[in-house]
Amino acid sequence: MREIRHMNDGWYFKPFDLKDIETFDPTQSISVSIPHEGVKLPYHYFDETITQQVFSYHKEFFIESTLEGKIISIRFEGVAHQASVYLNDRFVTKHIGGYTPFEAILNDYVVYGEMNQLFVVVDGIEDPDTPPFGGVVDYLGYVGIYREVALILKDPIHIQDVYIQSERSIFTAEVTLSLEASLQVQLIDPKGQMVYEVTLPKNTKHIIKHQPERVLLWDLDTPNLYTLKTMVETDEVATRFGFRSFEFKPEGFYLNGRLLKLRGLNRHQSYPYVGYAMPKRLQQKDADILKYELGLNIVRSSHYPPSKHFIERCDEIGLLLFEELPGWQHIGQEKFIHNALQSLEEMILRDRNHPSIILWGVRINESPDHHDFYTRSNELARRLDPSRPTGGVRNFAKSEFLEDVYTYNDFSHTGNNAGILPKSKITKAVPYLVTEHNGHMFPTKKFDPESKRVDHALRHMNVLNAALNPNEPVAGAIGWCMSDYNTHKEFGSGDKICYHGVLDMDRLPKLAAYGYQSQHMNTPFMKITSTMQNGEYAGGFLEKVVVFTNVDYIKLYRNDTLIDTYYPDVEHYKYLPHPPIIISDFIGKTLMEKEHMKEKDAEKTKRILRKIQKDGNHLPIWSQLQMLWLLKKYHLSLNDGVRMFFEYTSGWGSKETIYTFEGYVDGISVLKESIESLKSTEYHLEGDDTMVIAETYDVLRLVVRKTNPSGQTLDFAMDGFVVQTEGPIELISPSISNLNAGSRAIYIRSKGLGEAKVLVHFEGITLTKNIQVI
């Protein structure tokens, strides 16, 4: 039977030297495990060219004499960006491309009954013939064997490939064998029950078509996964898939027959310090963040194929995926095109059974039209997988349309204009999807002034609102992007970070993340995007407070006095499931209740007080006269006017101003949050407490936060701290670090089994987390 031996431990790593191919000296190397980053980077401020090096990896492994007659191959899931493989001093194969797997048969090179010497030369130099390189690239390529490696042992008669095409109630499977053999097939439903079985006579290619009596559909909320077991006497393969139908039409996207607006974000697979080299847990965690924390229904794997673990998790949780070939703007010569098409083929052959994938990206991101190249890429995708449409992301209108879906990066929104351009200005009456928006148009750091972070969040909501318009014939919008990322010198903020994410590089939220989160929460949710501090705004003028929420309305109190009741802004955000509540009146009904003014007079007084707050003492003469008249009408003095200004606007000089937001659903109070002056702070250390060593080592992301007693993160806290580990774990992130706008992730890697401990030392306080490594 087929045997898979994971080859992720016991590697030796060093800068490449040609003589190492024949006489490798482990004592001159360091011991590493896979996934591995060739160069460990600082969080920011570094020379990105240090990733452009050539390294060597060496590993010994034993092949028993009893394995003669087996087919022995080695599979690399991802090596950045060129890999030359040698076994026992003999060249085996070379693979070009850092984002797709490759496999090599070792039978002609292996020595049975002895230790075999595997040697891999890994080239991270940005070769212009290797996509995405050749031009200027807005992300880093990194270097290393950053995805898993496995030795695969098969009998001569084995299953070579299983390709499944499914509709809502029927599937067709094409199974290819290495040699003629009879095939046994079993269909296992999501509950683990066998619902179909058949045995087919000898052949090298078998076609199975079956329609179960009852089908559990794969959908966003019910991602039902079936398993097709294909078996010959000497081999067995289990392939997961889902029954679902989808279609892009000129009016939008349909999933299982219903019109569905797509809302999503683009994702880079890079992480701080280690680039691409993160194992299964954190790959899966990204999918969970997109689905459960941000409430999205689609992600684009910009601008290359992601880890298999990420895709499998999308299948499991019901997150749609637009997957594309490697590239960024540049198209090289024929060798470049050949390598791009090779990567496209490897991507589709690896991933075409995943139900989450609804679109193949067959065009280099934001590249110019290229009729020959993109005719070939579309033909290749349709031949390998006729069950899915193709798309090609461009950033200019009226492009040559060879794909099935016109996918376009619309960066037209600037804050005060329409969220997206009319489809008629971009393309014809064809299926249409916005694949990027915002991003570089308004880069925002987690520690930027509050007003900028709020503006950033509203820009995302403006585009999303426009894309969700049922009268707009667009399938949806995928924003740029999920999280900040390291980049080349030509981009970012000079520190080698592009601050384009709704999350920071640690996947911790900016305010924009709460905008997305508020659209999907089933439980009551309320995020107040302001600390209500006048000193955060020019002239002390707090123009508005945005609350991302799903409640029906909010009552706002100042020191237990009801200011007013505020409702979602359906006028400006009529298509969002949950429009934000935008509060620009912080006086409300208090003038009527406390100063006994009539409603019209109260409104006039409010306008004057707000004008004073915004413009200072430079009131027009008409406003001055109007204010004097109002004071006289209600028998108030000039001192009363000054009192009202401080009491109802700034609160300057008062003992304490506490604002309380109370959210209501169906007339019942469900949430309450107060904003008051800070009197004490707290530190928190959060995250999982169990690590599992399986195919590879495991990595935990722990989050350190500084908050007020109510648990609200302190946006400008930058406290330093020291991290210490005990037991079979080690730090990936630095041992000396600091909070980044109130929070910071630390990354812990497993090194063995047993009890472990993480200690985070702030001045005068230590946080502790016990971890079990199993």
Side-chain angles (χ1 to χ4, degrees):
M1 295 297 288
R2 179 179 305 222
E3 180 185 354
I4 297 177
R5 297 181 178 178
H6 300 295
M7 301 265 286
N8 298 310
D9 295 322
W11 289 82
Y12 291 95
F13 169 79
K14 67 186 291 289
F16 172 64
D17 188 328
L18 186 61
K19 63 181 175 54
D20 289 336
I21 296 176
E22 296 182 358
T23 55
F24 188 84
D25 183 2
T27 64
Q28 302 299 312
S29 309
I30 60 172
S31 178
V32 301
S33 296
I34 308 299
H36 181 258
E37 73 289 352
V39 177
K40 192 170 182 178
L41 296 173
Y43 191 85
H44 57 175
Y45 288 115
F46 55 83
D47 178 3
E48 74 274 17
T49 62
I50 63 175
T51 65
Q52 298 180 40
Q53 299 186 55
V54 183
F55 296 101
S56 60
Y57 291 80
H58 175 265
K59 181 177 175 59
E60 290 187 331
F61 63 96
F62 186 77
I63 294 293
E64 304 92 306
S65 300
T66 55
L67 294 178
E68 287 198 64
K70 292 271 191 179
I71 296 173
I72 303 172
S73 63
I74 190 165
R75 181 177 176 88
F76 294 84
E77 293 296 335
V79 181
H81 283 269
Q82 296 188 27
S84 298
V85 181
Y86 298 81
L87 186 62
N88 299 322
D89 303 340
R90 299 170 64 192
F91 175 74
V92 178
T93 191
K94 181 175 183 177
H95 182 262
I96 296 175
Y99 300 99
T100 48
F102 65 98
E103 191 168 327
I105 296 176
L106 302 180
N107 289 66
D108 292 341
Y109 312 94
V110 77
V111 178
Y112 295 93
E114 297 183 17
M115 296 298 293
N116 288 262
Q117 308 298 318
L118 177 65
F119 188 81
V120 184
V121 180
V122 176
D123 188 341
I125 295 173
E126 296 185 358
D127 176 11
D129 289 327
T130 304
F133 307 118
V136 179
V137 184
D138 178 23
Y139 54 95
L140 297 185
Y142 304 99
V143 60
I145 303 179
Y146 73 94
R147 291 179 186 163
E148 298 84 354
V149 184
L151 199 68
I152 302 173
L153 312 174
K154 296 176 286 193
D155 285 284
I157 298 177
H158 61 270
I159 297 167
Q160 290 184 324
D161 184 60
V162 178
Y163 170 44
I164 302 171
Q165 298 182 63
S166 64
E167 293 292 337
R168 293 183 67 177
S169 61
I170 192 169
F171 78 92
T172 302
E174 182 180 296
V175 183
T176 305
L177 306 182
S178 59
L179 296 169
E180 281 196 353
S182 58
L183 180 71
Q184 183 180 4
V185 178
Q186 294 178 349
L187 180 64
I188 312 299
D189 72 11
K191 300 177 181 179
Q193 302 297 314
M194 186 175 69
V195 293
Y196 172 68
E197 185 176 24
V198 66
T199 299
L200 302 173
K202 284 187 176 183
N203 208 333
T204 55
K205 184 165 286 188
H206 299 268
I207 305 296
I208 305 102
K209 190 170 185 177
H210 179 65
Q211 184 171 4
E213 291 183 4
R214 180 174 176 269
V215 166
L216 298 172
L217 292 181
W218 187 95
D219 211 319
L220 301 182
D221 297 325
T222 55
N224 290 299
L225 291 171
Y226 285 75
T227 300
L228 189 72
K229 286 188 176 180
T230 49
M231 297 165 283
V232 295
E233 186 176 346
T234 54
D235 196 16
E236 177 179 322
V237 172
T239 307
R240 293 198 307 182
F241 72 101
F243 288 95
R244 82 280 185 267
S245 66
F246 64 90
E247 186 177 7
F248 284 90
K249 294 183 178 181
E251 67 270 21
F253 173 76
Y254 290 81
L255 179 64
N256 294 328
R258 77 180 189 281
L259 184 64
L260 174 69
K261 283 285 189 176
L262 300 174
R263 60 174 189 257
L265 290 168
N266 289 263
R267 173 196 182 244
H268 270 308
Q269 67 177 12
S270 57
Y271 296 82
Y273 317 113
V274 297
Y276 293 158
M278 278 294 186
K280 181 177 181 178
R281 179 194 294 260
L282 291 196
Q283 301 291 340
Q284 293 181 323
K285 179 69 174 177
D286 271 8
D288 287 345
I289 290 171
L290 288 159
K291 171 81 175 187
Y292 297 123
E293 293 186 20
L294 298 175
L296 306 177
N297 56 29
I298 188 169
V299 56
R300 174 179 168 222
S301 68
S302 52
H303 304 287
Y304 40 75
S307 159
K308 65 178 181 180
H309 303 302
F310 179 79
I311 303 176
E312 289 168 357
R313 189 60 178 162
C314 290
D315 292 343
E316 293 166 355
I317 64 178
L319 179 63
L320 302 173
L321 174 61
F322 171 17
E323 186 178 15
E324 66 181 343
L325 82 171
W328 201 83
Q329 294 188 345
H330 170 76
I331 301 175
Q333 301 302 312
E334 181 55 35
K335 190 173 181 181
F336 176 100
I337 293 173
H338 169 82
N339 291 334
L341 292 172
Q342 181 66 36
S343 292
L344 177 63
E345 180 172 355
E346 291 167 347
M347 175 184 83
I348 294 174
L349 290 178
R350 183 191 71 166
D351 296 335
R352 60 186 178 175
N353 290 322
H354 291 283
S356 59
I357 298 173
I358 59 169
L359 194 60
W360 296 125
V362 299
R363 179 184 178 115
I364 301 293
N365 173 70
E366 293 186 344
S367 61
D369 287 338
H370 193 300
H371 181 81
D372 177 63
F373 180 14
Y374 295 137
T375 297
R376 292 162 66 186
S377 67
N378 277 278
E379 289 175 350
L380 176 63
R382 290 166 181 150
R383 175 172 58 81
L384 294 175
D385 180 30
S387 72
R388 286 181 181 83
T390 61
V393 174
R394 66 269 283 162
N395 58 352
F396 59 99
K398 310 300 182 182
S399 167
E400 182 181 21
F401 182 54
L402 301 173
E403 301 83 30
D404 301 306
V405 182
Y406 197 100
T407 47
Y408 175 73
N409 293 344
D410 184 347
F411 291 109
S412 61
H413 183 60
T414 57
N416 296 312
N417 59 338
I420 59 175
L421 292 169
K423 176 180 173 181
S424 59
K425 289 190 175 183
I426 307 303
T427 187
K428 300 177 181 177
V430 298
Y432 176 60
L433 174 65
V434 173
T435 41
E436 293 183 29
H437 59 80
N438 282 299
H440 70 282
M441 299 300 294
F442 204 72
T444 302
K445 304 173 183 65
K446 203 169 66 168
F447 47 85
D448 272 337
E450 182 178 288
S451 57
K452 184 175 184 183
R453 291 181 282 126
V454 172
D455 194 0
H456 177 238
L458 289 177
R459 287 177 182 231
H460 274 269
M461 294 302 99
N462 292 340
V463 174
L464 185 60
N465 179 68
L468 294 180
N469 183 348
N471 300 315
E472 186 66 36
V474 56
I478 305 174
W480 189 264
C481 60
M482 174 187 175
S483 57
D484 299 341
Y485 54 96
N486 289 129
T487 189
H488 285 85
K489 61 181 174 60
E490 292 85 357
F491 303 93
S493 295
D495 61 349
K496 308 301 171 70
I497 296 179
C498 265
Y499 293 95
H500 297 175
V502 305
L503 311 171
D504 70 6
M505 280 210 297
D506 286 328
R507 279 61 170 171
L508 301 177
K510 303 175 189 177
L511 292 182
Y514 298 110
Y516 282 100
Q517 190 173 351
S518 67
Q519 301 309 308
H520 84 104
M521 293 295 289
N522 293 321
T523 56
F525 176 84
M526 183 171 67
K527 175 61 180 180
I528 304 159
T529 64
S530 177
T531 58
M532 308 288 286
Q533 297 297 313
N534 293 328
E536 177 65 4
Y537 291 85
F541 180 63
L542 175 58
E543 182 180 4
K544 64 187 176 186
V545 170
V546 177
V547 183
F548 292 119
T549 184
N550 58 6
V551 301
D552 296 338
Y553 57 87
I554 285 173
K555 289 187 176 182
L556 175 61
Y557 297 82
R558 183 196 291 116
N559 295 339
D560 298 325
T561 298
L562 176 65
I563 296 176
D564 212 336
T565 301
Y566 304 89
Y567 294 86
D569 186 359
V570 294
E571 178 183 355
H572 296 102
Y573 298 95
K574 65 174 65 175
Y575 305 118
L576 289 184
H578 301 289
I581 293 177
I582 301 177
I583 301 172
S584 57
D585 176 7
F586 305 103
I587 300 175
K589 300 184 185 324
T590 54
L591 290 172
M592 297 169 59
E593 295 175 358
K594 297 183 70 174
E595 308 297 338
H596 309 293
M597 288 184 175
K598 294 182 179 179
E599 185 175 359
K600 287 185 178 180
D601 291 337
E603 289 300 318
K604 292 175 184 177
T605 305
K606 276 195 291 185
R607 286 196 294 269
I608 295 171
L609 292 176
R610 290 287 280 173
K611 193 169 184 62
I612 295 171
Q613 188 182 23
K614 182 177 181 181
D615 300 330
N617 295 326
H618 308 293
L619 274 180
I621 187 65
W622 169 248
S623 296
Q624 294 180 43
L625 292 172
Q626 191 175 44
M627 188 64 186
L628 287 171
W629 180 83
L630 288 166
L631 291 173
K632 184 176 181 180
K633 179 177 180 179
Y634 289 96
H635 307 290
L636 299 170
S637 66
L638 287 175
N639 286 336
D640 287 321
V642 173
R643 171 187 59 78
M644 285 194 297
F645 172 76
F646 286 117
E647 181 176 346
Y648 297 117
T649 60
S650 66
W652 292 350
S654 62
K655 182 178 179 181
E656 175 76 277
T657 300
I658 301 175
Y659 289 98
T660 300
F661 296 76
E662 189 169 17
Y664 287 78
V665 175
D666 295 330
I668 299 172
S669 174
V670 293
L671 290 171
K672 183 182 287 189
E673 185 173 330
S674 294
I675 296 178
E676 55 188 302
S677 62
L678 185 67
K679 298 178 179 64
S680 63
T681 62
E682 299 176 356
Y683 292 103
H684 304 269
L685 178 58
E686 304 160 342
D688 295 336
D689 56 12
T690 303
M691 305 180 80
V692 179
I693 298 178
E695 299 176 16
T696 71
Y697 60 85
D698 198 4
V699 170
L700 287 185
R701 184 195 70 160
L702 303 179
V703 178
V704 185
R705 293 198 304 134
K706 186 176 185 179
T707 73
N708 64 15
S710 299
Q712 298 156 346
T713 300
L714 302 178
D715 292 334
F716 300 124
M718 303 290 183
D719 308 34
F721 59 87
V722 176
V723 185
Q724 176 188 352
T725 62
E726 298 177 1
I729 57 175
E730 67 176 2
L731 273 172
I732 292 175
S733 46
S735 60
I736 301 176
S737 189
N738 64 281
L739 297 175
N740 176 31
S743 60
R744 172 76 76 176
I746 57 178
Y747 300 88
I748 310 297
R749 172 180 159 174
S750 62
K751 292 289 288 183
L753 303 177
E755 301 285 341
K757 184 181 292 186
V758 177
L759 300 99
V760 178
H761 305 285
F762 287 92
E763 185 174 1
I765 187 170
T766 296
L767 308 175
T768 303
K769 181 170 251 329
N770 295 314
I771 295 173
Q772 180 75 28
V773 187
I774 59 176

